[in-house]
Amino acid sequence: MYDGLISPGRNDECWCGSGKKYKKCHLVHDERLQELYEQGFEVPQRSMLKTAADIEGIKRSAAINIGVLDYVAEHIGPGVTTAEVDRWVHDFTVEHGGIPADLNYEGYPKSVCTSINEVVCHGIPSEDDVLREGDIVNVDCSTILDGYYSDSSRMFCIGEVSEERRRLVEETKKALEAGLAAVKPWGLLGDVGAAVNEHAKSCGYSVVREFGGHGIGLDFHEDPFVSHVAEAGTGMVLAPGCCFTIEPMINAGEQEIDMSDPNGWTVRTADRSDTAQWEVQLVVTEDGYELLSW
């Protein structure tokens, strides 16, 4: 088969663990992927596709992740330090039975990323970072529950912000929504990034190329990489069961980034223009997609 693995017999139990016979479960699905593979398309391996049980587990994890961001939304404001935000995220996650996926991931020292104004991503919470009237900040958190991973982020406007910053935040969300609208079962992943990039460019903004979305569910970062500047008509086939994030980082100025911070994590716009990001996690379904975390 297309992924080099042996397929069950028609009357054998399906590989997905549903308990159904293969012919009543994934047989037609696999035949379609095989046909597309033979036509030269990039197709996901079966190990990348989430089963019904996986999706339910991810949803339970995501309920905590969504709850965390709802809590942040209720409490964030001028005078709050990003270290306080980190404590909120850690305590809420642990109190609800989860584990902050960010904490100690490849040495990352905190439970959440807090990226202010010109910080593109991976801002490390600190007692020295006091949110001030007019700031915009991205709060990006991820949760592990029973081995399942969820991931999402939101932008927050601190008090009254400038019209330019508010527009950047709002249009970045619209760019993400344009990407979501391009998610079609049996469509192509490149269409998602192309839609994001087209909207951002129409607003006079630029899209960061070095970072993108990713597969997620059984691990923090899985295949595929989700480029937000991809070309339409390219990329992996979006088979039902594909689970990934869309998380465009959009700059008010040029797309170039600065990764020289001595902490080894924090990324800024090279021209120090403002930047914004929203992130959602979804699974492709037979008739569209389902949002799992936001």
Side-chain angles (χ1 to χ4, degrees):
M1 289 294 285
Y2 55 88
D3 59 1
L5 300 177
I6 297 173
S7 292
R10 290 175 57 85
N11 291 310
D12 293 339
E13 184 176 331
C14 187
W15 56 262
C16 74
S18 66
K20 299 177 182 178
K21 291 183 178 181
Y22 184 45
K23 65 184 180 183
K24 293 185 178 294
C25 196
H26 272 88
L27 175 59
V28 173
H29 181 281
D30 285 348
E31 288 177 340
R32 186 167 185 179
L33 282 173
Q34 180 66 26
E35 181 180 349
L36 290 166
Y37 173 76
E38 291 173 356
Q39 292 173 8
F41 288 94
E42 179 187 352
V43 300
Q45 297 187 357
R46 277 174 281 184
S47 60
M48 294 169 61
L49 303 179
K50 302 302 181 283
T51 67
D54 291 335
I55 293 167
E56 289 307 309
I58 294 168
K59 285 181 178 178
R60 291 191 293 272
S61 173
I64 298 175
N65 213 66
I66 295 165
V68 167
L69 289 171
D70 287 346
Y71 184 92
V72 171
E74 293 171 0
H75 294 85
I76 201 167
V80 169
T81 68
T82 54
E84 287 180 84
V85 175
D86 180 69
R87 287 191 289 272
W88 297 341
V89 170
H90 179 274
D91 293 349
F92 186 101
T93 303
V94 172
E95 288 167 5
H96 288 79
I99 300 169
D102 288 357
L103 187 59
N104 299 319
Y105 176 75
E106 296 186 351
Y108 186 77
K110 298 293 183 177
S111 297
V112 67
C113 296
T114 50
S115 302
I116 307 169
N117 299 337
E118 79 280 2
V119 177
V120 175
C121 61
H122 305 157
I124 300 176
S126 169
E127 297 288 0
D128 296 329
D129 287 334
V130 181
L131 296 174
R132 305 183 188 283
E133 186 92 9
D135 284 340
I136 55 174
V137 58
N138 177 267
V139 177
D140 185 351
C141 64
S142 309
T143 301
I144 311 169
L145 181 69
D146 300 328
Y148 291 104
Y149 288 74
S150 56
D151 188 10
S152 51
S153 80
R154 300 181 197 172
M155 290 297 299
F156 297 100
C157 294
I158 305 303
E160 293 295 322
V161 304
S162 68
E163 178 58 31
E164 291 80 9
R165 283 182 170 172
R166 184 170 298 280
R167 178 174 179 267
L168 175 63
V169 169
E170 292 174 350
E171 295 298 340
T172 298
K173 189 173 186 180
K174 290 179 182 178
L176 183 152
E177 291 167 348
L180 277 173
V183 175
K184 309 290 185 185
W186 306 105
L188 295 175
L189 185 58
D191 294 345
V192 176
V196 170
N197 194 31
E198 181 179 357
H199 183 85
K201 288 171 64 177
S202 75
C203 298
Y205 301 142
S206 62
V207 181
V208 171
R209 296 175 177 269
E210 292 84 349
F211 295 93
H214 52 89
I216 183 172
L218 306 182
D219 203 350
F220 199 169
H221 294 94
E222 303 172 352
D223 289 333
F225 174 75
V226 182
S227 170
H228 300 115
V229 293
E231 294 184 11
T234 67
M236 189 185 75
V237 171
L238 296 176
C242 289
C243 182
F244 56 91
T245 67
I246 303 176
E247 47 180 301
M249 303 170 192
I250 295 181
N251 300 341
E254 300 300 318
Q255 68 181 31
E256 286 75 21
I257 58 175
D258 176 3
M259 302 177 66
S260 64
D261 193 294
N263 68 29
W265 285 99
T266 301
V267 180
R268 295 176 174 83
T269 53
D271 60 8
R272 296 302 189 264
S273 61
D274 290 326
T275 184
Q277 178 193 23
W278 294 83
E279 177 183 10
V280 297
Q281 179 181 358
L282 64 96
V283 62
V284 181
T285 63
E286 295 290 346
D287 56 1
Y289 66 87
E290 181 179 5
L291 282 180
L292 302 178
S293 190
W294 58 84

